[in-house]
C-alpha cells in the first residue's frame, strides 16, 4: 500500500484538530514566571556570569532528574564536550556514537581530538542498539590492560554515547552490560530526553555523566543552554571548575590553574530556565496527549508506523515521528512537501553522520537500521501547546 499524501495530511489535521497552520515543529512556550524572573535579573543587574538563578536552576535540575549534581553551561554541545573530557576521552581515542544523531554528538568527540566511531540504531527505540554494538565489538575490539582497543585502527575505545532519540530511552541495561564487558565509559547524550525514564530511572542518570540541552526547540528552553549531570561529587566539581575558566576562588586575585572554558550559563538564561522547569510536568502531560492523538489519527494507515515509547519505559515525546515501510521510502519527500505546503512543519531524521562530508572516513559498524531510518522517518509537529492550552 502506498501512503497517499491526502490521507497523510488528513491524519495530521485530525491529530492537530484545533491548530491552524502554520504549525511549527517545536515551539517554546512561556506561560509561567518567565517574564517575572527575567525582569528581576534586569532590574537587579544580575544578568551575566554571577547570580542566584544559576544555582537555583542547577538545584531544580538535580531534583527533577534525581541526580546529585547538575552544572549549567552555555549549550548542550559544550556540556557534551566537557562530559566526554571528564569521562577520560583523550586525543587519539575513539568514541562510539550512534550514526543517527544530531551532529553535536560527533562534533563534541572531534573537539577533543578523538574520532567518532559510528554504530547502528535500534529499529524500535531509534537510539543506539546494544545488541548490534556487542556483535560489532566482538569482531573489532580487543581488551587490553589499558581498556578496549579497535583492532583495525589501534585506537583506544574510550567511551560510548547513547543518545535517547526524540526522547525514547535507549536500552540502558543492555548497553551497561556491553560497556562493562569491554570496559568502556558511558556518557549519555540526554539532550532530547529531559523527563524520559528507563525502567523508572530518569534519562540523564544512567551513565557516569550526561549532557542536557535547553536550546529553543528542546523540551524546555533557556534560550540557549545545557547542563552536565553526574552523581560523582569529584566529577561535578571538575565540571564546574573547567566550565568557569578554571579560576581559583579569590576575592581579587585572578589565578587560573589549568586551561578551562568560558562555558558558564548566564544568570539571565538560568532565570528563564527556572520558570520553564516549574512547568515541566504540565508540558510533558500535554505532549503525551498529543502523542496519543497521533497514534489514533494514523491508526490503520497502511505503509507506516507511529513511533511510541518502549514498553515499560517513559518517553517525553520530544518529537513525534512516523516511519515509512521500505516500499514507501520513495514517498517520503512527497509527504514532506505536501505537509510543508499545507503549513505543517515536518522534517526527516538527521542525515546519518557517516554520510556527512567531514565524518565519511570515520570507523563504523554496519549501519543498516540507521540508514533505513535516515531514509524513512518523518518528525511531526510536537509542541506542548498542540496537546492542550497552557494552564
Ligand atoms: C540539541 C542536541 C544537542 C546539542 O545541544 P545544543 O544546546 O544545541 O548545543 C546534542 N545532541 C543532541 C542529540 C541534540 O538533540
Amino acid at each position: 500500500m502506498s501512503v497517499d499524501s491526502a490521507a497523510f495530511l488528513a491524519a495530521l489535521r485530525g491529530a492537530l484538530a484545533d491548530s491552524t497552520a502554520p504549525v511549527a515543529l517545536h515551539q517554546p512556550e512561556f506561560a509561567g514566571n518567565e517574564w517575572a524572573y527575567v525582569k528581576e535579573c534586569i532590574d537587579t543587574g544580575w544578568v551575566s556570569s554571577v547570580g542566584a538563578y544559576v544555582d537555583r536552576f542547577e538545584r531544580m535540575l538535580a531534583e527533577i532528574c534525581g541526580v546529585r549534581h547538575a552544572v549549567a553551561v552555555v549549550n548542550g554541545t559544550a556540556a557534551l564536550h566537557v562530559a566526554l573530557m571528564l569521562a577520560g576521552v583523550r586525543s587519539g581515542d575513539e568514541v562510539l556514537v550512534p550514526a543517527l544523531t544530531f551532529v553535536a554528538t560527533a562534533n563534541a568527540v572531534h573537539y577533543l581530538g578523538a574520532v567518532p566511531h559510528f554504530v547502528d540504531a535500534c529499529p524500535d527505540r531509534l537510539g543506539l542498539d546494544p545488541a548490534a554494538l556487542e556483535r560489532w565489538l566482538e569482531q573489532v575490539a580487543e581488551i587490553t590492560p589499558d581498556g578496549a582497543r579497535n583492532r583495525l585502527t589501534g585506537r583506544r575505545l574510550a567511551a560510548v554515547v547513547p543518545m535517547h532519540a526524540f526522547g525514547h530511552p535507549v536500552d540502558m541495561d543492555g548497553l551497561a552490560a556491553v560497556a562493562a564487558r569491554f570496559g568502556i565509559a558511558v556518557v549519555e547524550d540526554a539532550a532530547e530526553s529531559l523527563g524520559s525514564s528507563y525502567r523508572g530511572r530518569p534519562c540523564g542518570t544512567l551513565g557516569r555523566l550526561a549532557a542536557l540541552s535547553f536550546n529553543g526547540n528542546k523540551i524546555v528552553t533557556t534560550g540557549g543552554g545545557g547542563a552536565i549531570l553526574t552523581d560523582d561529587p569529584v566529577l561535578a566539581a571538575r565540571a564546574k571548575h573547567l566550565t568557569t575558566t578554571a579560576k581559583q576562588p579569590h576575592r581579587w586575585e585572578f589565578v587560573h590553574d589549568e586551561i578551562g572554558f568560558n562555558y558558564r550559563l548566564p544568570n539571565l538564561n538560568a532565570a528563564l530556565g527556572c520558570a520553564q522547569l516549574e512547568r515541566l510536568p504540565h508540558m510533558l502531560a500535554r505532549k503525551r496527549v498529543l502523542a496519543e492523538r497521533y497514534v489514533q489519527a494514523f491508526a490503520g494507515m497502511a505503509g507506516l508506523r507511529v513511533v511510541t515509547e518502549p514498553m515499560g519505559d517513559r518517553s517525553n515525546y520530544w518529537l513525534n515521528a512516523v516511519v515509512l515501510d521500505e516500499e514507501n521510502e520513495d514517498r517520503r519527500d512527497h509527504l514532506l512537501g505536501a505537509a510543508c505546503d499545507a503549513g505543517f512543519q515536518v522534517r526527516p531524521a538527521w542525515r546519518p553522520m557517516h554520510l556527512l562530508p567531514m565524518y565519511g572516513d570515520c570507523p563504523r559498524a554496519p549501519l543498516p537500521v540507521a540508514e533505513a531510518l535516515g531514509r524513512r522517518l518523518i518528525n511531526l509537529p510536537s509542541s506542548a501547546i498542540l496537546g492542550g492550552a497552557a494552564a
Side-chain angles (χ1 to χ4, degrees):
M1 257 306 269
S2 134
V3 179
D4 170 56
S5 50
F8 185 79
L9 275 182
L12 265 185
R13 289 208 172 89
L16 304 174
D18 307 326
S19 342
T20 43
V23 177
L25 186 72
H26 202 286
Q27 70 186 58
E29 181 181 278
F30 305 113
N33 290 318
E34 285 85 353
W35 179 242
Y37 294 173
V38 168
K39 185 170 185 304
E40 187 192 320
C41 294
I42 295 170
D43 288 345
T44 60
W46 294 105
V47 296
S48 189
S49 52
V50 183
Y53 278 115
V54 174
D55 298 336
R56 184 160 151 199
F57 185 58
E58 291 177 340
R59 280 197 308 272
M60 287 179 82
L61 272 178
E63 192 182 319
I64 288 169
C65 296
V67 68
R68 305 241 311 262
H69 306 279
V71 176
V73 295
V74 284
N75 58 52
T77 311
L80 272 172
H81 181 188
V82 172
L84 287 168
M85 193 173 191
L86 292 177
V89 175
R90 304 273 173 269
S91 180
D93 285 342
E94 281 178 23
V95 176
L96 298 153
V97 303
L100 193 74
T101 187
F102 177 59
V103 71
T105 322
N107 285 350
V109 171
H110 185 84
Y111 297 161
L112 289 165
V115 177
H117 179 149
F118 300 116
V119 294
D120 207 12
C122 167
D124 305 316
R125 293 176 179 264
L126 310 179
L128 187 155
D129 184 345
L133 174 67
E134 184 161 38
R135 285 194 301 275
W136 178 239
L137 289 178
E138 278 167 357
Q139 276 186 53
V140 303
E142 61 183 349
I143 298 172
T144 75
D146 187 29
R149 262 176 203 286
N150 180 344
R151 234 184 280 147
L152 309 175
T153 62
R155 287 188 288 245
R156 192 171 75 106
L157 294 163
V160 59
V161 187
M163 193 282 280
H164 312 289
F166 311 126
H168 302 295
V170 166
D171 170 14
M172 290 299 290
D173 285 348
L175 181 66
V178 179
R181 176 177 164 195
F182 288 90
I184 298 173
V186 178
V187 175
E188 282 178 275
D189 181 345
E192 306 180 354
S193 51
L194 177 66
S196 299
S197 59
Y198 174 77
R199 305 201 177 155
R201 291 175 282 151
C203 289
T205 67
L206 305 165
R208 268 183 83 189
L209 295 134
L212 300 181
S213 167
F214 309 108
N215 189 31
N217 64 349
K218 294 285 160 61
I219 288 280
V220 299
T221 187
T222 56
I228 300 160
L229 305 182
T230 184
D231 274 325
D232 183 327
V234 175
L235 291 180
R238 290 281 301 136
K240 194 64 167 180
H241 191 61
L242 278 173
T243 55
T244 53
T245 67
K247 183 180 178 298
Q248 292 182 348
H250 194 279
R251 280 166 68 199
W252 54 78
E253 293 283 6
F254 260 72
V255 178
H256 305 265
D257 54 22
E258 62 187 307
I259 298 176
F261 303 94
N262 180 15
Y263 278 176
R264 187 182 171 87
L265 185 72
N267 201 49
L268 199 57
N269 301 77
L272 196 63
C274 289
Q276 290 268 285
L277 287 181
E278 288 170 357
R279 302 184 64 260
L280 177 64
H282 183 54
M283 307 244 210
L284 292 172
R286 288 177 296 144
K287 287 172 74 67
R288 292 188 80 75
V289 169
L290 177 63
E292 183 53 37
R293 282 204 205 128
Y294 277 126
V295 168
Q296 280 170 13
F298 283 98
M301 187 178 297
L304 59 73
R305 65 184 169 92
V306 179
V307 180
T308 54
E309 69 190 356
M311 185 94 79
D313 297 330
R314 215 164 164 84
S315 300
N316 63 11
Y317 284 103
W318 173 53
L319 288 186
N320 288 282
V322 293
V323 179
L324 300 169
D325 294 351
E326 190 173 358
E327 314 81 75
N328 277 291
E329 193 168 290
D330 54 2
R331 299 282 302 152
R332 186 196 72 180
D333 287 0
H334 200 69
L335 300 174
L336 289 170
C340 286
D341 288 346
F344 299 109
Q345 194 187 0
V346 294
R347 69 169 201 207
W350 312 277
R351 174 88 35 106
M353 295 299 107
H354 63 293
L355 302 178
L356 299 178
M358 62 287 194
Y359 293 129
D361 292 334
C362 291
R364 61 177 194 252
L367 301 168
V369 179
E371 287 180 345
L373 290 169
R375 292 189 302 265
R376 296 193 216 148
L377 186 140
I378 298 177
N379 283 127
L380 307 174
S382 297
S383 309
I385 188 81
L386 301 172

